[in-house]
Amino acid sequence: MIGEHVLAGYVPDAGGREALDLARGIVALTGGRLSVATVHPPDLPAAAGEARALLDQVADLLEGEPADLLVQEGRSVGRGLTVLASRIGADLIVVGSPEGGARGRIGVGAAADHLLHSATEAVMLAPSGHRSPDELGRITVMYVRRPQCDEAVIRSAQAAERLEVPLRLVTLAIGDVNPEPLRDDLALAIRLALDSADLLPEDVSAEVAEGDDVADALEDVDWPEGELLVCASSEDAAAHRVFLGEVALKVLRAAPCPVAVLPRGYY
């Protein structure tokens, strides 16, 4: 299960604080280890000093919670976080949304864009204005019948069992698509989830989200507080890397909750 070692990318704005808050929430659930990093450009001693000073802010925000505070050199924030995550053995990178975006929605800045198209670890994004609830309410998997999504169902079912939360599978029916074959696919995915973890049948549900476009379809299903959405990487992703396809990126931008994206072939 992801979250055994969480790396939060910190920048001195609301998005950085929200990423830190989400990372702390994940660690509280999993009992994992927390690392927090700031990234600075290479060959600039002054920038390195400023990055270290930012970590003083992080220490105050943590209020005594244990965490490794790290400074990383990188040509970009996304690249620096990927390199650092690999070096320290983190299995999840958490970043926030840029300031100025729609509240309650995820904005994809430069760092997130890099991570969503090349990270070797799972990536989680916090919506603008997000505050982690006291407990996780449910894990939802965005499902399409293909191997990468089946992997996401298996891992999410196992996480739901460990965290003692329900699991929901959602698939999109955009436009005039016949939803019946999609329901058949979801029935198979439910069986896969039940076979992969010790979950009760009543703890696994499935819905077809219908709408004229992705954002409209997501509004067709409920998103209560405490939801976490899991997406699989595209079939175009290299092995063990994140690569978010066009539809999944639209889902991420429209989702009203944190979204985790798993690398292809995640184990």
Side-chain angles (χ1 to χ4, degrees), residues 35-216:
S35 293
V36 186
T38 59
V39 180
H40 65 87
D43 304 321
L44 291 176
E50 292 173 2
R52 293 187 185 91
L54 288 179
L55 292 180
D56 293 336
Q57 298 180 14
V58 173
D60 292 338
L61 293 170
L62 289 172
E63 300 175 331
E65 180 179 341
D68 297 322
L69 305 182
L70 307 167
V71 171
Q72 175 66 31
E73 181 179 276
R75 291 190 176 88
S76 70
V77 173
R79 185 185 298 273
L81 290 174
T82 299
V83 170
L84 178 59
S86 179
R87 179 166 64 83
I88 65 176
D91 61 7
L92 176 65
I93 302 173
V94 180
V95 294
S97 296
E99 290 187 312
R103 187 171 181 81
R105 293 293 184 268
I106 291 173
V108 180
D113 185 65
H114 176 90
L115 293 170
L116 291 172
H117 293 93
S118 64
T120 53
E121 298 76 24
V123 176
M124 186 178 290
L125 287 88
S128 177
H130 179 72
R131 288 292 179 267
S132 293
D134 292 335
E135 58 184 26
L136 181 66
R138 181 172 61 188
I139 297 173
T140 289
V141 179
M142 192 57 57
Y143 185 77
V144 178
R145 192 177 178 188
R146 54 185 175 87
Q148 290 89 325
C149 285
D150 287 343
E151 291 172 2
V153 169
I154 293 169
R155 304 309 165 192
S156 296
Q158 293 168 349
E161 176 191 350
R162 176 173 170 179
L163 298 174
E164 299 182 336
V165 297
L167 177 69
R168 178 176 65 163
L169 311 175
V170 172
T171 195
L172 302 179
I174 305 300
D176 296 327
V177 171
N178 179 5
E180 291 311 312
L182 300 178
R183 291 191 175 94
D184 293 340
D185 291 345
L186 285 172
L188 293 173
I190 288 175
R191 175 46 52 194
L192 176 63
L194 292 172
D195 289 344
S196 303
D198 189 17
L199 295 171
L200 297 175
E202 56 265 32
D203 289 333
V204 183
S205 61
E207 297 183 55
V208 175
E210 301 182 57
D212 295 330
D213 55 32
V214 170
D216 187 38

Side-chain angles (χ1 to χ4, degrees), residues 241-262:
R241 285 190 181 274
V242 169
F243 187 89
L244 207 59
E246 181 180 353
V247 173
L249 185 58
K250 291 179 180 178
V251 168
L252 183 144
R253 292 181 183 275
C257 64
V259 177
V261 184
L262 303 184

